[in-house]
Amino acid sequence: MKFTLSWLKDHLETEASLDDILYALTDLGLEVEEVVDRGAKLASFSIAKILEAQQHPDADKLRVCRVLTDEGERQIVCGAPNARAGITVVLCKPGTYVPGIDVTISIGKIRGVESHGMMASERELDLSDEHNGIIELPSGEVGQRFSDWLAVNRPEVVDPMIHIKITPNRPDALGVRGIARDLAARGLGTLKPMAVPSIKGGFASPVRVEIAAELKAKGCPLFAGRVIRGVKNGASPAWMQARLIAIGLRPISVLVDITNYFTFALNRPLHVFDADKVAGGVLRIHPASGGEAFLGLDGKSYTLKPGMMAISDDAGVESLAGIMGGEVSGCSDATVNVFLESAYWDPITIASTGRAMKINTDARYRFERGVDPAFTLLGLDLATAMILDLCGGEASDLAVDGAVPDVSRAYRLDPARVISLVGMDIPEAEQRRTLDALGFTLNGDMAIPPTWRPDVLGEADLVEEVARIASLTKLEGKPLRRTQDGVPRPILTPAQQREKSARRTLAALGYNECVTYSFIDHEAAALFGGGADAVRVDNPISSEMTHLRPDLLPGLLRAAARNQARGFADLALCEIGPAFQGGEPGEQHLQAAGLLIGHTAPRDPFASRRPVDVFDAKADAEAVLAALGAPARVQVTRKVAAWWHPGRSGVIGLGPNMLATFGEVHPRVLAALGVKGPAVAFTILPANVPLPKVKTAIRPALVISDLQAVDRDFAFVVDKGIEALVAVNAAQGADKALIESVRVFDQFTGEKAEAQMGPGKKSIALTVRLQPTDKTLTDKEIEAVSAKIVEKVTKATGGTLRS
């Protein structure tokens, strides 16, 4: 919505500065997008007076002028035919930029005579196209700023243009008067009264109007107009053209310009038909049958679809209702009889038709948001009066069909509730004054919204209006009172705490967190056990987002493929988010996933670079589980899903309770997703990690022994199909109280191992740490534990102690 300051002051009696008005507009919710201050570029020009003008000694068309300025007398060479002694002119001093000719004035010589500036024409100052001579001012003091003189004598020339952003719920602000009403309610002035003349027709309207019965209930409740005969169409007055040009509209003719003027001034779109071109003398408002041709005022032909509202005469469609008039019945300079139309259109019907036809007009923009239905006839009378004033002629009686729709409603104003919700102490009298200034009718504690506010639909909207006018910038920040005394309790749930711990741990391990879409394509979902109809999206954003993801790995693998395509070969990516096993509420679970591709380190001279392997993924998964509070002793099984590499992956669990899965991603999955492998990954289910049996707000005390630990190494010869974990778990079970840890530190396999230990054999070397708690271990006690370890491992693996 664009308007000028002088246009605003036609409706608002105010002494507020432009800056105060701009601040108030944004604070009221009418955000200022742009301000074009046309007087700013004229601020460096001043008023001067020619004292003497003599013929140039070396040029017939030049004069050497002695000019009185605020800096004394100056010599200026001028070629304007009207340069003469005694006139008041506009001075461009040396160093001043002249916008109309894109030149910065400097001291120079013209035909050998020095000139100290320039006297400007209107075109040189971008005021108009007039350039037949320099500006002659009827008044003004020497040294006065030219922009100040214009503000008093020709305000339309330097009138600031204000562009504000209108939200869809404020159609009343699409007219200058609606904006003035808001500012008046804020206290920046007084809303000027607007007198609506009573137009008495001098004859019956030769053009009748008829609304189809099916449109009166919904579509076009009211259509009115009148014929004005004997008008003289031509150029609109200068003040109207200046305002229309300032807001970016091109003046066309006085009749058309009046309708545009009312659209922006009072939010009342109108249309004028050339009455002599209306065939049959009847304008019918009806739903289109479909296929009707229509030539719009923009010169384009349109074909109407069934149900679109049209205005037709006996010759065919003359206007697309509420959106655009027709070229056939449009006004021209030869027009002498017009039919001025004012109607109320259903916003939804106008919006759907405009979108379908892809036509954007100022009329559609307002009708689809909702104009004031009660102003339909009043706006018609005001526009009639302006046409009679500017174009002459005689008005007929009204031609009306339908009635003004009843949009009355009332909501209770609860002053105490307003104060409670807004958080400011606004007296009841001030609340009522605010609503009254905005046009509400107050009847006891009930507030009736004005007809121009279709957005007010409940008591909450009354609160919003009071708060908006009072200004939310006056809110004072106050601390909330605690619901309970003492130290506040933790607000994060156990699930949220675990999510936070998992994210911090993964970041500490060197992973880069990704945030991928919860929607993936069907092919990727099927690779990870998903893709069922239950998780299919009915209205997907694209063909690559058709299903809810069953796992986080598809998104991470897609991200890895994009990074590999851009030259990033070594990747450590992670994500924490929901995965979905169904389409119903609650059929989702939280996952923490990590993906490793490439090498563990960059190239260096110390040979520390190696390819990532399954044990890297297992170690990182165990680190995250430890941060989540999982027990140190868990089981690892081989029952993995189909997207994991068989034999190179495993499931970490506590009995049937699966905590995590780790391993290499299946080559088939990598190929389908375009990832250059191998790739190792892990997926953790934080919700499956058991919660601690004892909940406490503090960490448990650190348990540490001051007794020396004892490390013992064991090597066992076992079948090469035996897993090292079997030997580790067996050794840990030998003495759960004394054995602190068991680790594999060597594995001897291959042909050399089988040559020494026998076919199908390998060696597994374990280091066991014994940590006493009450006394130092004796050799006898150490030997006893060692014997238990050997017994347990040999029984579990079927192997022997390697000699």
Side-chain angles (χ1 to χ4, degrees):
M1 172 64 189
K2 296 180 179 180
F3 58 96
T4 64
L5 183 60
S6 66
W7 203 343
L8 177 68
K9 290 184 177 181
D10 280 355
H11 300 272
L12 182 69
E13 188 70 46
T14 181
E15 297 297 328
S17 66
L18 176 61
D19 289 340
D20 289 341
I21 291 173
L22 297 178
Y23 177 84
L25 286 172
T26 298
D27 194 39
L28 288 166
L30 308 176
E31 184 179 351
V32 176
E33 289 276 281
E34 179 188 18
V35 178
V36 179
D37 190 354
R38 294 182 291 171
K41 64 181 180 181
L42 302 177
S44 57
F45 301 98
S46 61
I47 294 177
K49 188 171 185 179
I50 300 179
L51 299 178
E52 184 181 39
Q54 297 182 353
Q55 184 67 40
H56 192 286
D58 197 26
D60 294 339
K61 294 184 179 181
L62 296 179
R63 287 178 176 81
V64 180
C65 301
R66 185 162 57 90
V67 181
L68 179 61
T69 73
D70 57 340
E71 298 175 351
E73 294 184 8
R74 293 289 184 268
Q75 178 176 279
I76 298 176
V77 178
C78 181
N82 63 330
R84 65 189 184 277
I87 65 172
T88 302
V89 296
V90 179
L91 175 65
C92 310
K93 297 179 182 179
T96 301
Y97 174 74
V98 183
I101 55 177
D102 193 24
V103 168
T104 299
I105 299 299
S106 61
I107 299 174
K109 288 187 177 182
I110 302 177
R111 292 288 186 95
V113 178
E114 197 170 69
S115 180
H116 295 261
M118 184 184 82
M119 293 174 287
S121 67
E122 290 205 358
R123 188 175 72 171
E124 288 164 339
L125 299 185
D126 266 350
L127 298 179
S128 71
D129 291 331
E130 176 59 43
H131 63 285
N132 292 326
I134 58 176
I135 299 173
E136 295 185 40
L137 299 179
S139 61
E141 300 295 328
V142 172
Q144 181 183 2
R145 291 202 309 175
F146 181 51
S147 57
D148 294 340
W149 185 91
L150 287 172
V152 175
N153 296 276
R154 294 175 60 187
E156 72 280 358
V157 174
V158 291
D159 207 4
M161 189 282 293
I162 304 170
H163 179 195
I164 61 175
K165 181 190 295 184
I166 303 297
T167 52
N169 66 317
R170 290 297 308 278
D172 61 298
L174 289 172
V176 179
R177 187 165 183 81
I179 299 168
R181 184 182 295 109
D182 266 19
L183 292 171
R186 170 57 68 87
L188 263 70
T190 304
L191 185 67
K192 294 181 179 180
M194 182 176 64
V196 179
S198 177
I199 305 296
K200 294 184 179 180
F203 57 96
S205 175
V207 176
R208 294 182 295 107
V209 296
E210 296 177 358
I211 304 175
E214 60 268 34
L215 291 182
K216 284 188 177 181
K218 183 179 180 181
C220 181
L222 174 63
F223 189 95
R226 61 160 45 97
V227 170
I228 305 173
R229 65 188 181 189
V231 300
K232 183 178 180 181
N233 198 15
S236 55
W239 63 267
M240 182 179 290
Q241 291 193 37
R243 288 184 175 177
L244 295 179
I245 291 173
I247 63 174
L249 295 182
R250 178 176 60 88
I252 298 174
S253 67
V254 63
L255 290 172
V256 176
D257 291 351
I258 287 173
T259 62
N260 287 333
Y261 184 82
F262 271 78
T263 298
F264 283 85
L266 301 174
N267 192 28
R268 171 29 60 188
L270 305 165
H271 184 65
V272 287
F273 297 84
D274 189 324
D276 295 332
K277 298 177 182 178
V278 176
V282 179
L283 289 175
R284 295 179 297 104
I285 300 87
H286 63 95
S289 302
E292 295 97 328
F294 163 68
L295 179 62
L297 285 172
D298 58 357
K300 298 180 181 179
S301 296
Y302 300 95
T303 301
L304 274 61
K305 297 179 181 179
M308 292 181 174
M309 288 190 296
I311 303 175
S312 302
D313 60 7
D314 289 353
V317 176
E318 295 294 344
S319 177
L320 188 58
I323 298 177
M324 181 183 288
E327 181 73 26
V328 174
S329 59
C331 296
S332 65
D333 289 343
T335 298
V336 292
N337 301 312
V338 297
F339 182 80
L340 177 63
E341 166 252 312
S342 180
Y344 180 76
W345 309 101
D346 174 59
I348 296 177
T349 306
I350 295 299
S352 60
T353 300
R355 292 192 186 106
M357 301 296 284
K358 297 180 180 180
I359 301 176
N360 293 307
T361 63
D362 292 321
R364 173 201 161 183
Y365 188 80
R366 285 157 174 79
F367 280 127
E368 70 184 4
R369 284 159 174 79
V371 301
D372 181 5
F375 193 65
T376 304
L377 299 178
L378 300 178
L380 180 61
D381 284 344
L382 284 167
T384 301
M386 183 174 285
I387 291 176
L388 293 175
D389 181 46
L390 298 179
C391 305
E394 183 183 7
S396 74
D397 295 331
L398 281 178
V400 183
D401 195 7
V404 176
D406 182 12
V407 294
S408 61
R409 57 209 185 276
Y411 306 104
R412 181 171 176 267
L413 173 65
D414 185 348
R417 180 64 171 163
V418 173
I419 295 173
S420 173
L421 289 177
V422 176
M424 292 190 296
D425 187 11
I426 307 174
E428 179 180 353
E430 180 65 18
Q431 296 181 31
R432 299 178 72 88
R433 186 207 67 79
T434 295
L435 294 178
D436 181 68
L438 290 173
F440 288 75
T441 301
L442 296 171
N443 185 9
D445 63 348
M446 302 300 292
I448 303 173
T451 53
W452 58 79
R453 291 299 300 272
D455 59 303
V456 178
L457 298 172
E459 295 180 10
D461 293 322
L462 301 180
V463 177
E464 180 184 354
E465 290 303 296
V466 172
R468 188 172 62 86
I469 299 302
S471 180
L472 294 176
T473 59
K474 297 178 181 177
L475 276 172
E476 297 180 3
K478 297 180 180 179
L480 291 174
R481 294 186 60 186
R482 291 180 178 176
T483 57
Q484 296 177 342
D485 295 331
V487 179
R489 296 180 178 180
I491 61 173
L492 295 180
T493 65
Q496 291 172 326
Q497 291 174 339
R498 287 183 167 182
E499 182 178 345
K500 177 182 177 182
S501 298
R503 181 172 282 108
R504 290 174 63 93
T505 303
L506 287 168
L509 291 170
Y511 285 81
N512 294 307
E513 185 177 5
C514 299
V515 180
T516 62
Y517 285 106
S518 296
F519 309 115
I520 60 176
D521 60 275
H522 177 265
E523 292 73 15
L527 290 173
F528 289 83
D533 288 341
V535 292
R536 183 174 60 84
V537 180
D538 288 338
N539 187 23
I541 300 174
S542 70
S543 60
E544 297 179 351
M545 298 182 180
T546 57
H547 289 72
L548 292 171
R549 62 187 179 190
D551 199 280
L552 297 183
L553 288 180
L556 291 179
L557 289 168
R558 292 285 194 194
R562 288 191 294 271
N563 278 272
Q564 286 181 331
R566 288 158 177 79
F568 297 97
D570 299 334
L571 301 169
L573 307 177
C574 71
E575 182 172 9
I576 300 175
F580 303 87
Q581 67 268 26
E584 296 299 322
E587 292 184 339
Q588 67 181 60
H589 58 280
L590 184 70
Q591 287 187 0
L595 176 67
L596 294 170
I597 297 178
H599 294 77
T600 58
R603 297 172 63 183
D604 58 35
F606 309 109
S608 59
R609 178 180 172 88
R610 63 171 179 80
V612 295
D613 56 31
V614 64
F615 299 106
D616 294 313
K618 181 174 181 290
D620 291 344
E622 290 174 339
V624 176
L625 287 173
L628 298 180
R633 296 179 180 179
V634 294
Q635 294 83 45
V636 178
T637 63
R638 299 279 189 174
K639 296 180 180 180
V640 296
W643 55 89
W644 297 100
H645 195 302
R648 299 182 185 177
S649 56
V651 175
I652 301 175
L654 293 170
N657 184 23
M658 184 176 69
L659 304 181
T661 306
F662 68 92
E664 284 191 19
V665 182
H666 201 289
R668 170 179 52 84
V669 175
L670 297 180
L673 297 180
V675 180
K676 300 175 182 177
V680 297
F682 60 85
T683 302
I684 297 171
L685 303 176
N688 289 359
V689 177
L691 293 170
K693 295 181 180 179
V694 179
K695 295 183 179 180
T696 176
I698 60 175
R699 293 183 179 181
L702 175 64
V703 178
I704 191 169
S705 176
D706 56 355
L707 301 175
Q708 183 175 354
V710 178
D711 289 336
R712 284 292 182 267
D713 296 339
F714 303 88
F716 297 93
V717 177
V718 297
D719 292 339
K720 64 179 182 180
I722 297 297
E723 298 174 352
L725 184 63
V726 176
V728 171
N729 289 338
Q732 285 179 331
D735 193 326
K736 296 181 179 180
L738 193 58
I739 296 175
E740 182 183 75
S741 64
V742 179
R743 294 186 300 105
V744 178
F745 71 89
D746 187 39
Q747 187 172 239
F748 184 32
T749 60
E751 295 179 358
K752 291 183 178 181
E754 294 184 17
Q756 293 183 18
M757 294 172 288
K761 299 294 182 179
K762 67 178 181 179
S763 173
I764 299 176
L766 307 177
T767 180
V768 181
R769 167 159 287 202
L770 309 177
Q771 179 61 64
T773 58
D774 53 355
K775 66 172 185 171
T776 303
L777 295 175
T778 64
D779 290 343
K780 186 176 180 180
E781 291 170 333
I782 295 173
E783 291 300 330
V785 175
S786 298
K788 285 185 180 180
I789 293 173
V790 173
E791 179 186 356
K792 288 281 188 179
V793 173
T794 55
K795 183 178 179 180
T797 63
T800 59
L801 186 66
R802 183 179 176 186
S803 57

